[in-house]
Amino acid sequence: MKRICVYCGSRPGIRPVYAAAATDLGKLLAERRIELVYGGGGQGLMGLVANAVLAHGGHVIGVIPHALKTPEAVHPGLPDLRVVAGMHERKALMAELADGFIALPGGFGTYEELCEVLTWSQLGFHGKPIGLLNTAGFYDSLLHFFDHATTEGFVRPANRQLVLVEETAATLLDRIIALA
Ligand code: AMP
């Protein structure tokens, strides 16, 4: 497992527990010599996870669309920043570079990215592990909905199992590494 792609909020969330989870994950990635691939943002949980990796001597690759490469959006201190034409190219490159995926708490952008890699996995386009960090139960309702969609026959039970869910970064990382 050389690189993990992290999807997470461009905002920090209200409760400090979310920032702590992002910082924790970044530190663990650096300690385990796993490079971070992410959206290149400097704000919110995105900025926090990147800062934690860098602060602990790890490597970060940011992939940002040209239109978002503004001083407010982009992280100013990334060792490797790839600027791409648009959102589709960005998500494709992030997925290609990574050996696994982790979604932290976030908003629409995060759900979209998570569901996209899940969809690509269920279609057999990749077999990379996908983890969801359910910090303080943030994703309980989404997971409940995934169960509902499975019961109602829209998600195959085997595909429902594609999302690995843990409440701490350390346990989630262990499970992802074990699957790689
Ligand atoms: P959201 O969860 O809606 O805050 O969106 C965060 C996700 O969408 C991240 O994983 C990014 O890949 C992407 N994204 C959204 N907003 C930005 C931004 N301002 N800068 C960089 N990436 C962003």
Side-chain angles (χ1 to χ4, degrees):
M1 171 86 23
K2 187 163 184 260
R3 297 188 192 119
I4 286 186
C5 175
V6 173
Y7 304 128
C8 61
S10 55
R11 296 167 60 98
I14 284 179
R15 293 194 283 150
V17 70
Y18 303 124
T23 302
D24 193 29
L25 176 64
K27 177 171 177 275
L28 285 168
L29 289 173
E31 285 172 359
R32 298 185 189 195
R33 303 260 180 279
I34 298 171
E35 296 178 4
L36 169 70
V37 176
Y38 87 121
Q43 309 293 318
L45 298 194
M46 298 179 72
L48 289 169
V49 72
N51 285 340
V53 173
L54 295 172
H56 292 88
H59 188 66
V60 178
I61 303 173
V63 183
I64 199 154
H66 196 266
L68 284 181
K69 198 181 168 278
T70 60
E72 316 90 75
V74 72
H75 190 297
L78 298 181
D80 187 347
L81 181 69
R82 320 264 175 113
V83 182
V84 294
M87 291 299 276
H88 293 292
E89 199 183 318
R90 171 211 232 173
K91 290 186 293 172
L93 180 60
M94 286 164 75
E96 183 190 316
L97 288 171
D99 305 307
F101 307 93
I102 290 180
L104 269 62
F108 289 140
T110 304
Y111 320 145
E112 191 242 351
E113 291 168 325
L114 170 71
C115 286
E116 185 169 73
V117 285
L118 280 171
T119 307
W120 291 351
S121 180
Q122 71 178 6
L123 292 173
F125 294 145
H126 74 82
K128 301 172 184 178
I130 301 168
L132 187 64
L133 191 60
N134 192 21
T135 306
F138 176 78
Y139 280 117
D140 284 352
S141 338
L142 184 68
L143 293 167
H144 187 71
F145 179 73
F146 285 177
D147 290 336
H148 173 67
T150 309
T151 309
E152 293 298 310
F154 288 103
V155 175
R156 286 179 193 274
N159 291 333
R160 170 68 183 81
Q161 303 307 317
L162 290 171
V163 204
L164 309 172
V165 184
E166 292 290 338
E167 294 234 352
T168 69
T171 48
L172 186 59
L173 212 45
D174 284 345
R175 284 185 69 192
I176 286 185
I177 290 168
L179 276 179

